[in-house]
Amino acid sequence: MSNFNVPTREEVSSNNQAIFDNLEKAVGFVPNLFATYAHSENALGNYLTLSNAKTSLNAKQKEVVNLAVSQVNNCIYCLSAHTAIGKMNGFTDEQILELRAGEASFDNKLDALARLARNITENRGATDADVVDNFLNVGWTKENLIDTIVLVGDKTISNYIHSTTQVPVDFPVAQPLEATTV
């Protein structure tokens, strides 16, 4: 798949060109993965609508899920992007490594969230009852549970697109988890 190109603005539809322009204004560039969605007339807009939809999880909590899911799915692109975004949301390098491993010793509620996201992803939705019970027992709600599952799906889409296309990572590359925990 190394021959899968990242389309330029000129190579995409006018609808996607407008989205590229908005991303350029908001982020400063069009991430390669988002550009790859633009091979489809509708996928980029649909994905951004899903990704930016209202949720009961705040930005920092969403990064907990994004990091845990991307680690299970072994997506170097998303791990790299969400390591950078996690830092922008106040997580330290050490905390990001824990979140990637699906835990958070530094925060009981985030630990339950990370464990839930990891377990959902590892078990393809057949989540262990004790993980769900722990999630609810530390103060998360059923709304948070459903929103977390939707976010797992959201992140899995991007993980799978990168795993299939192998477009170049255009963020500082996250190191393999095993190499950082030795």
Side-chain angles (χ1 to χ4, degrees), residues 7-177:
T8 64
R9 186 183 184 283
E10 295 72 32
E11 296 173 316
V12 301
S13 69
S14 58
N15 181 53
N16 282 328
Q17 287 179 357
I19 296 171
F20 276 30
D21 294 344
N22 289 335
L23 285 167
E24 186 81 38
K25 288 176 194 163
V27 182
F29 72 108
V30 178
N32 286 343
L33 191 65
F34 286 170
T36 302
Y37 276 92
H39 280 291
S40 164
E41 173 66 27
N42 299 301
L44 178 59
N46 290 343
Y47 179 74
L48 290 174
T49 297
L50 173 63
S51 187
N52 294 315
K54 289 182 182 179
T55 178
S56 62
L57 302 177
N58 66 33
K60 195 167 189 173
Q61 294 162 347
K62 286 173 68 173
E63 289 314 307
V64 170
V65 175
N66 291 335
L67 287 161
V69 171
S70 296
Q71 184 64 52
V72 171
N73 288 330
N74 199 31
C75 180
I76 191 61
Y77 189 99
C78 294
L79 286 170
S80 299
H82 291 289
T83 293
I85 297 167
K87 288 178 185 178
M88 291 173 13
N89 278 282
F91 289 119
T92 67
D93 289 331
E94 295 75 24
Q95 290 171 334
I96 288 170
L97 293 174
E98 276 195 58
L99 295 170
R100 286 175 57 187
E103 51 194 48
S105 66
F106 55 92
D107 184 295
N108 197 36
K109 274 188 83 172
L110 293 182
D111 185 65
L113 178 61
R115 289 177 187 279
L116 177 72
R118 181 184 71 204
N119 193 265
I120 290 169
T121 309
E122 287 175 339
N123 294 313
R124 300 168 72 136
T127 314
D128 294 338
D130 61 326
V131 173
V132 175
D133 290 344
N134 180 59
F135 179 81
L136 296 170
N137 288 337
V138 299
W140 294 102
T141 65
K142 290 178 182 175
E143 177 185 18
N144 300 141
L145 175 68
I146 299 303
D147 286 347
T148 299
I149 295 167
V150 170
L151 185 54
V152 168
D154 164 343
K155 191 47 44 200
T156 298
I157 293 167
S158 285
N159 294 166
Y160 285 9
I161 286 180
H162 186 262
S163 291
T164 300
T165 65
Q166 293 294 304
V167 295
V169 177
D170 50 357
F171 290 88
V173 177
Q175 296 303 305
L177 190 58

